Amino acid sequence: MSDPETIARYRRELRADPGSLRFVPLAEALRRAGRLVESEDVLADGLILHPGLNSGRLVLARVYADSERRAAALSILDELYPRDSGNVALVSLYLELLVDAGRMDDARVLLDRAEIIGVPADVRQSVMARIEASLWAEREADAAVVTPIGPATGSREALREPITLPDTNLKALVDPFAIEVVAERLERAGRHDAALRIWEELAMVRPLTPEFNHRVVQLRLRREPSLITLDPGLLRPEARPVPDAAGRGRLLQLGLRLRARAQADRCL
């Protein structure tokens, strides 16, 4: 049935029973057709009779969002979400509006629950990408304060007192967004190459932390199962290793150590 036919049918049903809840699907059909003013008028009349109807207020939030009144839409969803937190349509729109408003912490908390209630993967991935982009921008804008690598007894470890470096030196040292929580989120989202780059940066700056090297090995094996590590307990290869794979594994470990030493020397 086409949109005009659907709208006409809902109008007839609502005229036959003005106190019914048919105003909700009518308003939604008008919204989908781009007739936002008519949709809002229908909702205004219907919500006078049914002021606490969640479905009607959700459609109103959609109308507000479509007509660029996103703050008003977000205000409605702030009120609705605690009462209807399992509503997939509500949560999907709420996530989008939270990110638009810059409420990234709220969006991240909601995103953790979104998969459980069945929010589609494409919606969650889109929101995650926008959160990541926002965090990148924040990190780039912040003043660069890092802890450089310095000499210690027989090894290298972080100096206790942080120093401020120029932006150019910081970018040469390490990606300012190379933090564990981001790498873990990228892994969970299936973005293994991006996660691998962050774990490699962390392994270079903090070579004495075995967990970082372990994550690097895991992701490299996932991408190239033929590689084998010196420590088979880290991760079993997913495929039969090719000849001389042990040598390739040693080179991998040596390369990581050399890169870490080079980065450390650059800071001295």
Side-chain angles (χ1 to χ4, degrees):
M1 185 179 293
S2 68
D3 284 339
E5 292 173 338
T6 302
I7 291 168
R9 177 167 62 84
Y10 287 147
R11 284 196 186 279
R12 288 194 301 271
E13 293 172 352
L14 189 59
R15 280 196 298 268
D17 184 4
S20 75
L21 301 182
R22 303 305 285 172
F23 77 94
V24 176
L26 172 58
E28 176 64 9
L30 289 166
R31 185 193 70 84
R32 288 179 180 273
R35 296 159 63 175
L36 300 180
V37 174
E38 293 177 69
S39 178
E40 190 172 347
D41 289 343
V42 169
L43 288 166
D45 292 339
L47 288 172
I48 290 175
L49 297 176
H50 307 279
L53 187 66
N54 288 354
S55 57
R57 292 181 59 75
L58 175 56
V59 175
L60 182 61
R62 287 173 170 166
V63 170
Y64 284 162
D66 290 351
S67 55
E68 301 304 323
R69 288 173 287 174
R70 302 180 86 77
L74 182 55
S75 177
I76 291 175
L77 296 187
D78 280 336
E79 179 187 344
L80 284 182
Y81 175 71
R83 306 203 309 251
D84 199 9
S85 59
N87 187 321
V88 172
L90 187 155
V91 171
S92 299
L93 179 59
Y94 198 21
L95 279 168
E96 177 187 339
L97 295 176
L98 286 171
V99 175
D100 285 348
R103 292 166 54 182
M104 299 304 170
D105 289 341
D106 291 339
R108 281 193 292 269
V109 171
L110 188 59
L111 191 62
D112 289 339
R113 300 188 57 191
E115 185 175 3
I116 298 173
I117 68 171
V119 172
D122 59 331
V123 174
R124 289 184 279 110
Q125 289 168 2
S126 173
V127 170
M128 173 61 76
R130 294 180 64 194
I131 291 173
E132 291 169 5
S134 175
L135 288 174
W136 274 99
E138 288 178 11
R139 291 274 170 172
E140 289 291 337
D142 286 343
V145 179
V146 298
T147 302
I149 303 301
T153 19
S155 65
R156 295 186 180 274
E157 63 182 9
L159 296 176
R160 291 185 179 180
E161 294 297 329
I163 63 171
T164 300
L165 296 178
D167 288 343
T168 52
N169 290 344
L170 174 65
K171 291 176 182 177
L173 168 66
V174 64
D175 187 333
F177 200 54
I179 56 178
E180 296 167 59
V181 65
V182 175
E184 290 170 351
R185 285 185 178 276
L186 288 171
E187 274 196 65
R188 289 200 297 269
R191 299 176 60 184
H192 297 143
D193 287 343
L196 176 59
R197 286 194 294 272
I198 293 180
W199 288 123
E200 285 176 337
E201 293 282 7
L202 289 168
M204 286 190 296
V205 176
R206 293 161 62 186
L208 300 181
T209 305
E211 171 65 17
F212 298 155
N213 285 320
H214 176 65
R215 292 297 190 101
V216 169
V217 171
Q218 280 185 317
L219 288 172
R220 284 186 176 274
L221 281 175
R222 188 173 298 173
R223 191 171 60 179
E224 297 183 65
S226 59
L227 291 174
I228 185 172
T229 64
L230 296 178
D231 181 1
L234 290 177
L235 185 70
R236 294 178 181 175
E238 297 176 3
R240 191 181 183 87
V242 298
D244 201 32
R248 295 172 66 188
R250 293 189 187 93
L251 287 175
L252 168 62
Q253 295 292 327
L254 178 60
L256 288 173
R257 288 196 292 271
L258 290 175
R259 289 174 67 189
R261 185 181 295 276
Q263 292 288 343
D265 290 341
R266 192 178 302 166
C267 295
L268 297 178

